[in-house]
Amino acid sequence: MGLHVQKYGGTSVGSIERIFAVADRVLATQRAGHDVVVVVSAMAGETDRLLGLVKQVTDTPPAREQDVIVSTGEQVSVGLLSMAIQARGGKAVSLLGHQVKLYTDDAHSRARIKHIRPERVDEVLKKGAVAVIAGFQGIDEEGNITTLGRGGSDTSAVAMAAALGADACEIYTDVDGVYTTDPNVYAAARKLDRIAYDEMLELASLGAKVLQIRSVAFAKRHKVPLWVKSSFNDDPGTLVTGEDPSMEDQVVSGVAYDRKQAKIALRHVPDQPGIATKIFEPLSREGIVVDMIVQNVSLQDHTDVTFTVGRDDLRRATELVKEVAAGMGAGAVDTDENMAKVSIVGLGMRTHAGVAATMFGALASEGINIQMISTSEIKISAVIDEKYIELAVRTLHDAFQLHLPPTERA
Ligand code: ASP
Ligand code: MG
């Protein structure tokens, strides 16, 4: 007997038939003797449809009103799922963000959770009913509706699990779990039985889209064990959890990629204190996330600074950098929008030598040129031409034998 928080994503509640399938799974969990709290996303495609309506009205939507609109997708799915559970003979009560008192800051469309007062949830559970909670939404201190960013229902679920002291937090999606790489790019990808929070954080930030990155950070902070499972079968899925020493035996856990990168090179920059902040401060003020940064060794008191941004930010970033460049008497600003990033991630990199050499050797053997490199304790990333990205993913997957179970790798 325990408390299970189950989160169902958009495809898992994408049709009435799917909603009934979720109702059956929820009731089966309850029959097994557990209290069940369900967090749901909007039906597949609904959030995009709502954002499309917003766009037809204005290109510069007031953030508060946009949240009022996009949060409605979840209101529909909690109502439908509660009805479906009742139609199957069960008890269920739908609850919106304000009803579970999920308080956030006031950063509309990317709000952060501050605290939750889930008394209503306790009442519902005490009556033997399932609490069906709208993901993605909360309220700020003034009662305005806020949303948690795309994919935010994952974070709603983890936060509810932490607030309720749940025994399990299960994220149901349309894949069986977390894979060594994107199975759509390489069919040899293997499902991982478990992965450490830190590895998952790196994979999520590198473009493995299974979980919203904030949900993983939240789970790590509050020590919530997270299961990623498919709502379409009974596979046990992948457990995202705290580290244990045996996890370092595995050198590389996964290969991630991000296709939509762009590169900006600022030539002939005077090599003086304060230059880097002049270049990057305007970008940060505009909310543009800069990823990799490389500064060359300076020649005759001048240097080149090259960095990457998401492709969607390239135009704005280039404009800002051109202004800065003119102001400091720097040279040309060159851009390339067809960049991609491939990365290997694994706790074992801390204790195994030669990982970088293997990675670079494998890419070289396929004639793939590396344009930029960055590393962290458990990750190595290379920026390459986008047209080679799938080849790079497959090559690295083979080089680290990720198709084999960890114990069978050389
Ligand atoms: N419905 C929201 C979205 O599409 C939140 C979520 O599904 O997690 O991003
Ligand atoms: Mg999602």
Side-chain angles (χ1 to χ4, degrees):
M1 170 84 198
L3 171 59
H4 286 214
V5 172
Q6 300 187 330
K7 181 258 170 177
Y8 292 91
T11 31
S12 302
V13 294
S15 65
I16 298 303
E17 193 193 342
R18 292 296 316 153
I19 288 175
F20 273 112
V22 169
D24 292 337
R25 193 180 283 269
V26 167
L27 287 171
T29 310
Q30 208 188 29
R31 272 196 303 276
H34 303 296
D35 284 335
V36 190
V37 170
V38 186
V39 174
V40 284
S41 291
M43 295 171 80
E46 180 62 10
T47 309
D48 287 333
R49 187 186 73 84
L50 294 166
L51 283 167
L53 292 176
V54 168
K55 223 173 163 183
Q56 287 177 46
V57 178
T58 170
D59 283 335
T60 51
R64 181 189 181 280
E65 306 313 325
Q66 178 167 303
D67 275 352
V68 168
I69 296 161
V70 297
S71 60
T72 59
E74 275 72 13
Q75 178 160 347
V76 172
S77 47
V78 285
L80 289 172
L81 179 57
S82 297
M83 277 188 190
I85 292 172
Q86 293 175 32
R88 289 285 204 248
K91 288 200 259 177
V93 178
S94 64
L95 295 167
L96 300 180
H98 72 94
Q99 293 168 320
V100 296
K101 302 211 173 81
L102 189 147
Y103 283 100
T104 70
D105 62 17
D106 60 4
H108 286 286
S109 84
R110 56 193 155 83
R112 282 183 180 275
I113 298 173
K114 290 170 88 175
H115 50 87
I116 304 179
R117 300 264 151 68
E119 298 93 16
R120 289 278 298 266
V121 178
D122 291 329
E123 282 166 28
V124 169
L125 295 177
K126 262 190 210 117
K127 289 184 189 135
V130 177
V132 183
I133 298 173
F136 185 49
Q137 54 174 266
I139 44 167
D140 67 12
E141 296 294 339
E142 277 159 26
N144 299 301
I145 295 174
T146 56
T147 62
L148 307 178
R150 297 309 303 269
S153 299
D154 295 338
T155 305
S156 308
V158 174
M160 285 311 306
L164 296 165
D167 299 285
C169 184
E170 300 166 338
I171 307 286
Y172 285 93
T173 174
D174 50 2
V175 293
D176 290 346
V178 181
Y179 277 73
T180 47
T181 196
D182 181 352
N184 297 315
V185 167
Y186 201 16
R190 261 186 64 254
K191 200 197 72 197
L192 297 160
D193 295 331
R194 57 181 194 149
I195 183 167
Y197 293 125
D198 284 328
E199 291 175 312
M200 193 64 227
L201 279 171
E202 292 282 11
L203 290 173
S205 68
L206 295 170
K209 292 173 200 68
V210 220
L211 289 171
Q212 195 198 33
I213 185 162
R214 276 187 185 175
S215 72
V216 185
F218 210 103
K220 181 186 174 192
R221 196 160 355 109
H222 297 274
K223 298 195 170 62
V224 177
L226 259 188
W227 288 95
V228 179
K229 292 169 182 266
S230 169
S231 66
F232 293 80
N233 61 42
D234 290 315
D235 193 286
T238 301
L239 175 62
V240 188
T241 181
E243 273 177 43
D244 78 54
S246 73
M247 285 175 160
E248 285 196 354
D249 296 347
Q250 196 170 316
V251 183
V252 173
S253 300
V255 180
Y257 67 95
D258 181 354
R259 280 177 197 282
K260 292 179 74 189
Q261 297 261 308
K263 186 175 81 175
I264 300 179
L266 181 49
R267 310 281 180 206
H268 205 68
V269 181
D271 192 10
Q272 292 156 5
I275 285 295
T277 166
K278 277 201 189 115
I279 299 172
F280 294 110
E281 207 276 327
L283 298 173
S284 96
R285 215 183 313 124
E286 285 289 305
I288 296 173
V289 176
V290 174
D291 185 9
M292 249 184 240
I293 304 176
V294 174
Q295 179 178 327
N296 287 0
V297 174
S298 78
L299 269 180
Q300 284 144 7
D301 295 331
H302 284 79
T303 181
D304 289 350
V305 175
T306 309
F307 60 94
T308 57
V309 294
R311 194 171 298 157
D312 295 340
D313 287 332
L314 178 65
R315 275 239 327 260
R316 265 187 325 139
T318 308
E319 281 166 22
L320 290 168
V321 171
K322 280 192 169 151
E323 270 174 45
V324 175
M328 64 174 62
V333 176
D334 299 328
T335 62
D336 190 332
E337 65 173 350
N338 296 314
M339 294 285 108
K341 181 170 71 171
V342 64
S343 311
I344 56 174
V345 173
L347 292 181
M349 281 181 213
R350 291 180 190 146
T351 44
H352 291 75
V355 184
T358 304
M359 175 177 183
F360 303 150
L363 293 175
S365 71
E366 290 296 333
I368 300 172
N369 187 37
I370 301 171
Q371 305 207 14
M372 295 167 84
I373 297 167
S374 84
T375 63
S376 81
E377 201 187 9
I378 62 163
K379 175 201 76 181
I380 305 171
S381 301
V383 170
I384 61 173
D385 201 321
E386 192 205 343
K387 65 176 183 264
Y388 299 121
I389 191 66
E390 298 201 0
L391 175 63
V393 168
R394 293 194 294 266
T395 302
L396 294 176
H397 201 275
D398 287 347
F400 292 98
Q401 299 182 294
L402 299 186
H403 59 288
L404 296 175
T407 47
E408 289 170 29
R409 290 178 200 155

